[in-house]
Amino acid sequence: MAKHRMPQSDRSLFTRLSQAVAHWAGRPQTFIGAAAIIVLWALSGPLFGYNDTWQLVVNTSTTIVTFLMVFIIQNSQNRDTAAMQIKLDELICRLEGAREELLDLEELDEDKLEAIRREFEALAAKARKRAAPGGERSPA
């Protein structure tokens, strides 16, 4: 099955920007570049006498980059999570016997989610018990 990406023009400028930055930021070359900049900054310390301005440059730069990256990463994470939820909802809708009341779990309060999680933990424990050596195995 071929993957069809939405044309660039159908995505907002912020979406295109955040996807590009998130892709770029996650590359090993970006990490190596950032580490190299920090090494060059540290090596320049004696040249500037380790003064306040020398320290302020790296502190301000890293703070600004971190601040902006939080929004880019959060946007990317929100989009990925929403897409995953839609895909899971589609599977639940199409799978015969699936419990459709699970479709909007992400909208439930923490205590309701915990109750459902305990229910699935109990089901998993029963399945492990049946599969354990000496346990009762149901015919396949």
Side-chain angles (χ1 to χ4, degrees):
M1 179 186 297
K3 247 187 176 178
H4 298 289
R5 289 194 74 171
M6 195 183 255
Q8 288 283 348
S9 61
D10 288 351
R11 292 182 271 162
S12 73
L13 176 63
F14 185 73
T15 296
R16 291 189 315 249
L17 176 69
S18 67
Q19 287 174 327
V21 171
H23 176 75
W24 173 78
R27 301 183 64 152
Q29 297 91 332
T30 305
F31 173 79
I32 291 167
I37 289 170
I38 296 300
V39 168
L40 287 173
W41 169 81
L43 292 174
S44 73
L47 186 67
F48 294 100
Y50 300 101
N51 66 24
D52 290 343
T53 303
W54 173 80
Q55 292 178 32
L56 189 60
V57 166
V58 77
N59 289 337
T60 303
S61 302
T62 56
T63 299
I64 290 169
V65 169
T66 302
F67 179 76
L68 295 175
M69 286 303 291
V70 164
F71 297 102
I72 296 293
I73 292 167
Q74 188 62 52
N75 177 267
S76 181
Q77 183 68 41
N78 289 350
R79 200 174 41 260
D80 289 349
T81 300
M84 182 71 70
Q85 288 300 323
I86 292 166
K87 291 174 184 181
L88 290 171
D89 288 349
E90 173 68 10
L91 291 173
I92 291 170
C93 285
R94 300 291 179 215
L95 189 60
E96 190 173 325
R99 295 170 38 191
E100 290 181 354
E101 66 268 17
L102 300 178
L103 283 172
D104 65 349
L105 286 181
E106 66 276 8
E107 303 298 329
L108 296 180
D109 291 334
E110 193 67 34
D111 57 336
K112 292 176 183 170
L113 282 173
E114 185 62 27
I116 294 169
R117 187 183 64 76
R118 281 193 303 270
E119 180 183 336
F120 278 100
E121 282 179 346
L123 288 171
K126 286 179 188 176
R128 278 190 218 97
K129 190 173 180 181
R130 283 192 308 268
E136 299 175 24
R137 290 199 146 193
S138 56

